[in-house]
Amino acid sequence: MKNASLAVLCYLRGNRLDKQGRAQLYLRITVNGRRSEFSLGRKVRPDKWCSSRSRVKGASEEAEAINKLIDSYVSKANKVHTKLVEKKKPFTADTIKNKLTGNSTEIKNLLAIYEEHNQQVAKIVGIEYSYSTYRRHVRTHGHLQRFIKKEYRLRDISIKLVDFRFVTRFYEYLKANHAGSHNTVTKYVLNFKKIVRMAFANGWIRKDPFYYWKAKWEKTEREILTEEDIKKLLEAQLGLKRLRQVKDIFLFSCFTGLSYIDIKNLTGERIRIGADGEKWITINRTKTKVQSTIPLLPIAKQILDKYEVSAKGKLLPVLSNQKTNAYLKEIATICGINKRLTFHLARHTFATTVTLSNGVPIESVSKMLGHTSLRTTQIYAKVIDKKLGRDMSILRGRYSLSKAKA
């Protein structure tokens, strides 16, 4: 902020005159083009005001008193500005105004606000937030920290300095520094948007910098496991206990559609006997709070039977999300599955290969997945349609070849 310019202007707000024909006297402070103003508690007749000098005309006692008051505020504003620049502290026009009016409050800085948010989220991971959501916010905080240091040469920045230009520059910074795919970068900016909206709701900023910013998504192909891939996993003989354990948890997700956090929190009270006399899982999803009702298919039941209930009542020994995904990569290599195996891939597999491909109605699949909208589930139906199209294309090619030979 060492190059932050300051302009101080005294003016009459002449749109409202009192009974004596006088207007309110205001002091306007401008820092880098941004204004903040307040009333000096004095009134002056417009014909007694000199706009070019920003002072009251004449040498009357009242004129001298008001002009001294103006000089005092202008002098104080310049002194405050000089000190802030010397201390290299981030500031705005509001900062200087608050110093002059005695309403000085602690400056809310962006990274400090975000850090406090992340600390609160960490306390309720597994209750209201998943661990992956928490980690995404931690990564976004890190990207913002590096962006502010590089672009502004500051350790933190006032939330009041976050505007539309800041948002677009951050987005461009993420793209230029290869922070991830287009959609990953968009998610980082949306995480940042949550913090800014929170600041706006608390009155720490006057305008929403994201008002004109719209997220643009690129269509991506959702990867799934085929029946052949699932068979490879089921038949795999893994020597290490940790790999066998992760494989079981992953397959449990493939046959239930439950997310990582929901499996981690699964307890015996969520297993109930349905109207058909079979066991069902009934759970409120951690992410959406929507109830999921899922039949306990034979393979999923066999996996549950392999493990003892923990002291906390948890049915399965789930490792950390980070370790689970790391071990899944090992398992994919051992099994010869040439796909990027992540835990969430199991949920996609349940929606497509296990249910929709086997004729389960999309409405039932949506309920089992705990989706808030059928439109979300229809994404998986499109995956099935594309797969069907590819299969039919292969079939046409085979038919044409055999026909040509004949």
Side-chain angles (χ1 to χ4, degrees), residues 85-103:
V85 171
E86 288 175 350
K87 292 180 179 179
K88 297 181 179 181
K89 288 187 175 182
F91 63 91
T92 65
D94 280 336
T95 307
I96 296 177
K97 183 191 82 170
N98 289 334
K99 292 280 187 181
L100 297 182
T101 58
N103 294 325

PDB file of all heavy atoms in Angstrom, residues 85-103:
ATOM      1  N   VAL A  85       1.154   4.304   5.696  1.00  0.00           N
ATOM      2  CA  VAL A  85       2.093   3.968   4.619  1.00  0.00           C
ATOM      3  C   VAL A  85       3.439   3.539   5.199  1.00  0.00           C
ATOM      4  O   VAL A  85       4.047   2.553   4.760  1.00  0.00           O
ATOM      5  CB  VAL A  85       2.282   5.169   3.663  1.00  0.00           C
ATOM      6  CG1 VAL A  85       3.427   4.900   2.684  1.00  0.00           C
ATOM      7  CG2 VAL A  85       1.000   5.440   2.890  1.00  0.00           C
ATOM      8  N   GLU A  86       3.896   4.255   6.221  1.00  0.00           N
ATOM      9  CA  GLU A  86       5.185   3.923   6.853  1.00  0.00           C
ATOM     10  C   GLU A  86       5.168   2.550   7.496  1.00  0.00           C
ATOM     11  O   GLU A  86       6.160   1.817   7.461  1.00  0.00           O
ATOM     12  CB  GLU A  86       5.532   4.987   7.902  1.00  0.00           C
ATOM     13  CG  GLU A  86       5.952   6.325   7.314  1.00  0.00           C
ATOM     14  CD  GLU A  86       6.172   7.385   8.384  1.00  0.00           C
ATOM     15  OE1 GLU A  86       5.807   7.133   9.563  1.00  0.00           O
ATOM     16  OE2 GLU A  86       6.693   8.467   8.049  1.00  0.00           O
ATOM     17  N   LYS A  87       4.035   2.189   8.090  1.00  0.00           N
ATOM     18  CA  LYS A  87       3.906   0.885   8.761  1.00  0.00           C
ATOM     19  C   LYS A  87       3.591  -0.244   7.783  1.00  0.00           C
ATOM     20  O   LYS A  87       3.520  -1.401   8.167  1.00  0.00           O
ATOM     21  CB  LYS A  87       2.824   0.953   9.834  1.00  0.00           C
ATOM     22  CG  LYS A  87       3.194   1.841  11.016  1.00  0.00           C
ATOM     23  CD  LYS A  87       2.078   1.867  12.054  1.00  0.00           C
ATOM     24  CE  LYS A  87       2.457   2.742  13.245  1.00  0.00           C
ATOM     25  NZ  LYS A  87       1.370   2.793  14.260  1.00  0.00           N
ATOM     26  N   LYS A  88       3.354   0.137   6.512  1.00  0.00           N
ATOM     27  CA  LYS A  88       3.052  -0.832   5.447  1.00  0.00           C
ATOM     28  C   LYS A  88       1.829  -1.682   5.788  1.00  0.00           C
ATOM     29  O   LYS A  88       1.776  -2.877   5.517  1.00  0.00           O
ATOM     30  CB  LYS A  88       4.258  -1.732   5.172  1.00  0.00           C
ATOM     31  CG  LYS A  88       5.466  -0.968   4.654  1.00  0.00           C
ATOM     32  CD  LYS A  88       6.633  -1.905   4.365  1.00  0.00           C
ATOM     33  CE  LYS A  88       7.825  -1.119   3.835  1.00  0.00           C
ATOM     34  NZ  LYS A  88       8.968  -2.009   3.523  1.00  0.00           N
ATOM     35  N   LYS A  89       0.861  -1.028   6.415  1.00  0.00           N
ATOM     36  CA  LYS A  89      -0.380  -1.712   6.764  1.00  0.00           C
ATOM     37  C   LYS A  89      -1.428  -1.495   5.662  1.00  0.00           C
ATOM     38  O   LYS A  89      -1.515  -0.388   5.119  1.00  0.00           O
ATOM     39  CB  LYS A  89      -0.934  -1.207   8.094  1.00  0.00           C
ATOM     40  CG  LYS A  89      -0.142  -1.660   9.303  1.00  0.00           C
ATOM     41  CD  LYS A  89      -0.859  -1.263  10.586  1.00  0.00           C
ATOM     42  CE  LYS A  89      -0.163  -1.811  11.811  1.00  0.00           C
ATOM     43  NZ  LYS A  89      -0.871  -1.469  13.057  1.00  0.00           N
ATOM     44  N   PRO A  90      -2.213  -2.502   5.325  1.00  0.00           N
ATOM     45  CA  PRO A  90      -3.267  -2.300   4.333  1.00  0.00           C
ATOM     46  C   PRO A  90      -4.348  -1.371   4.889  1.00  0.00           C
ATOM     47  O   PRO A  90      -4.702  -1.453   6.066  1.00  0.00           O
ATOM     48  CB  PRO A  90      -3.814  -3.716   4.104  1.00  0.00           C
ATOM     49  CG  PRO A  90      -3.473  -4.469   5.336  1.00  0.00           C
ATOM     50  CD  PRO A  90      -2.178  -3.887   5.824  1.00  0.00           C
ATOM     51  N   PHE A  91      -4.839  -0.468   4.057  1.00  0.00           N
ATOM     52  CA  PHE A  91      -5.876   0.452   4.529  1.00  0.00           C
ATOM     53  C   PHE A  91      -6.743   0.923   3.374  1.00  0.00           C
ATOM     54  O   PHE A  91      -6.387   0.745   2.197  1.00  0.00           O
ATOM     55  CB  PHE A  91      -5.256   1.657   5.237  1.00  0.00           C
ATOM     56  CG  PHE A  91      -4.384   2.508   4.351  1.00  0.00           C
ATOM     57  CD1 PHE A  91      -4.917   3.588   3.641  1.00  0.00           C
ATOM     58  CD2 PHE A  91      -3.025   2.246   4.225  1.00  0.00           C
ATOM     59  CE1 PHE A  91      -4.121   4.370   2.820  1.00  0.00           C
ATOM     60  CE2 PHE A  91      -2.220   3.027   3.403  1.00  0.00           C
ATOM     61  CZ  PHE A  91      -2.770   4.094   2.696  1.00  0.00           C
ATOM     62  N   THR A  92      -7.873   1.510   3.726  1.00  0.00           N
ATOM     63  CA  THR A  92      -8.808   2.045   2.747  1.00  0.00           C
ATOM     64  C   THR A  92      -9.223   3.443   3.190  1.00  0.00           C
ATOM     65  O   THR A  92      -8.804   3.930   4.244  1.00  0.00           O
ATOM     66  CB  THR A  92     -10.059   1.156   2.642  1.00  0.00           C
ATOM     67  OG1 THR A  92     -10.754   1.208   3.894  1.00  0.00           O
ATOM     68  CG2 THR A  92      -9.692  -0.285   2.324  1.00  0.00           C
ATOM     69  N   ALA A  93     -10.093   4.064   2.396  1.00  0.00           N
ATOM     70  CA  ALA A  93     -10.635   5.369   2.770  1.00  0.00           C
ATOM     71  C   ALA A  93     -11.417   5.266   4.074  1.00  0.00           C
ATOM     72  O   ALA A  93     -11.379   6.174   4.917  1.00  0.00           O
ATOM     73  CB  ALA A  93     -11.520   5.896   1.650  1.00  0.00           C
ATOM     74  N   ASP A  94     -12.099   4.132   4.265  1.00  0.00           N
ATOM     75  CA  ASP A  94     -12.859   3.918   5.507  1.00  0.00           C
ATOM     76  C   ASP A  94     -11.931   3.868   6.717  1.00  0.00           C
ATOM     77  O   ASP A  94     -12.290   4.320   7.808  1.00  0.00           O
ATOM     78  CB  ASP A  94     -13.666   2.616   5.421  1.00  0.00           C
ATOM     79  CG  ASP A  94     -14.950   2.779   4.623  1.00  0.00           C
ATOM     80  OD1 ASP A  94     -15.435   3.928   4.534  1.00  0.00           O
ATOM     81  OD2 ASP A  94     -15.449   1.783   4.098  1.00  0.00           O
ATOM     82  N   THR A  95     -10.747   3.292   6.525  1.00  0.00           N
ATOM     83  CA  THR A  95      -9.782   3.205   7.628  1.00  0.00           C
ATOM     84  C   THR A  95      -9.440   4.603   8.143  1.00  0.00           C
ATOM     85  O   THR A  95      -9.456   4.850   9.357  1.00  0.00           O
ATOM     86  CB  THR A  95      -8.488   2.511   7.157  1.00  0.00           C
ATOM     87  OG1 THR A  95      -8.804   1.266   6.551  1.00  0.00           O
ATOM     88  CG2 THR A  95      -7.554   2.272   8.331  1.00  0.00           C
ATOM     89  N   ILE A  96      -9.142   5.512   7.215  1.00  0.00           N
ATOM     90  CA  ILE A  96      -8.774   6.880   7.603  1.00  0.00           C
ATOM     91  C   ILE A  96      -9.974   7.609   8.206  1.00  0.00           C
ATOM     92  O   ILE A  96      -9.848   8.319   9.210  1.00  0.00           O
ATOM     93  CB  ILE A  96      -8.213   7.644   6.381  1.00  0.00           C
ATOM     94  CG1 ILE A  96      -6.919   6.964   5.907  1.00  0.00           C
ATOM     95  CG2 ILE A  96      -7.966   9.115   6.725  1.00  0.00           C
ATOM     96  CD1 ILE A  96      -6.309   7.565   4.666  1.00  0.00           C
ATOM     97  N   LYS A  97     -11.149   7.424   7.607  1.00  0.00           N
ATOM     98  CA  LYS A  97     -12.353   8.066   8.150  1.00  0.00           C
ATOM     99  C   LYS A  97     -12.597   7.631   9.589  1.00  0.00           C
ATOM    100  O   LYS A  97     -12.886   8.456  10.465  1.00  0.00           O
ATOM    101  CB  LYS A  97     -13.578   7.717   7.297  1.00  0.00           C
ATOM    102  CG  LYS A  97     -14.849   8.418   7.771  1.00  0.00           C
ATOM    103  CD  LYS A  97     -16.094   7.874   7.104  1.00  0.00           C
ATOM    104  CE  LYS A  97     -16.551   6.599   7.805  1.00  0.00           C
ATOM    105  NZ  LYS A  97     -17.884   6.163   7.340  1.00  0.00           N
ATOM    106  N   ASN A  98     -12.481   6.327   9.836  1.00  0.00           N
ATOM    107  CA  ASN A  98     -12.717   5.811  11.186  1.00  0.00           C
ATOM    108  C   ASN A  98     -11.715   6.371  12.197  1.00  0.00           C
ATOM    109  O   ASN A  98     -12.056   6.609  13.353  1.00  0.00           O
ATOM    110  CB  ASN A  98     -12.659   4.278  11.177  1.00  0.00           C
ATOM    111  CG  ASN A  98     -13.849   3.659  10.476  1.00  0.00           C
ATOM    112  OD1 ASN A  98     -14.918   4.265  10.408  1.00  0.00           O
ATOM    113  ND2 ASN A  98     -13.684   2.462   9.947  1.00  0.00           N
ATOM    114  N   LYS A  99     -10.469   6.572  11.746  1.00  0.00           N
ATOM    115  CA  LYS A  99      -9.465   7.167  12.626  1.00  0.00           C
ATOM    116  C   LYS A  99      -9.846   8.606  12.984  1.00  0.00           C
ATOM    117  O   LYS A  99      -9.692   9.044  14.125  1.00  0.00           O
ATOM    118  CB  LYS A  99      -8.098   7.162  11.936  1.00  0.00           C
ATOM    119  CG  LYS A  99      -7.475   5.786  11.735  1.00  0.00           C
ATOM    120  CD  LYS A  99      -6.816   5.288  13.004  1.00  0.00           C
ATOM    121  CE  LYS A  99      -6.047   3.994  12.740  1.00  0.00           C
ATOM    122  NZ  LYS A  99      -5.425   3.478  13.987  1.00  0.00           N
ATOM    123  N   LEU A 100     -10.365   9.340  12.006  1.00  0.00           N
ATOM    124  CA  LEU A 100     -10.716  10.746  12.220  1.00  0.00           C
ATOM    125  C   LEU A 100     -11.960  10.915  13.075  1.00  0.00           C
ATOM    126  O   LEU A 100     -12.077  11.864  13.856  1.00  0.00           O
ATOM    127  CB  LEU A 100     -10.931  11.452  10.879  1.00  0.00           C
ATOM    128  CG  LEU A 100      -9.731  11.538   9.929  1.00  0.00           C
ATOM    129  CD1 LEU A 100     -10.100  12.307   8.677  1.00  0.00           C
ATOM    130  CD2 LEU A 100      -8.543  12.188  10.610  1.00  0.00           C
ATOM    131  N   THR A 101     -12.900   9.994  12.943  1.00  0.00           N
ATOM    132  CA  THR A 101     -14.174  10.120  13.660  1.00  0.00           C
ATOM    133  C   THR A 101     -14.183   9.397  14.997  1.00  0.00           C
ATOM    134  O   THR A 101     -15.175   9.446  15.728  1.00  0.00           O
ATOM    135  CB  THR A 101     -15.333   9.593  12.788  1.00  0.00           C
ATOM    136  OG1 THR A 101     -15.074   8.222  12.452  1.00  0.00           O
ATOM    137  CG2 THR A 101     -15.475  10.399  11.509  1.00  0.00           C
ATOM    138  N   GLY A 102     -13.090   8.670  15.285  1.00  0.00           N
ATOM    139  CA  GLY A 102     -13.040   7.960  16.562  1.00  0.00           C
ATOM    140  C   GLY A 102     -13.776   6.641  16.534  1.00  0.00           C
ATOM    141  O   GLY A 102     -13.986   6.004  17.565  1.00  0.00           O
ATOM    142  N   ASN A 103     -14.159   6.210  15.316  1.00  0.00           N
ATOM    143  CA  ASN A 103     -14.858   4.924  15.181  1.00  0.00           C
ATOM    144  C   ASN A 103     -13.911   3.849  14.692  1.00  0.00           C
ATOM    145  O   ASN A 103     -14.303   2.930  13.983  1.00  0.00           O
ATOM    146  CB  ASN A 103     -16.030   5.057  14.194  1.00  0.00           C
ATOM    147  CG  ASN A 103     -17.104   5.976  14.724  1.00  0.00           C
ATOM    148  OD1 ASN A 103     -17.349   6.002  15.923  1.00  0.00           O
ATOM    149  ND2 ASN A 103     -17.727   6.730  13.832  1.00  0.00           N
TER     150      ASN A 103
END
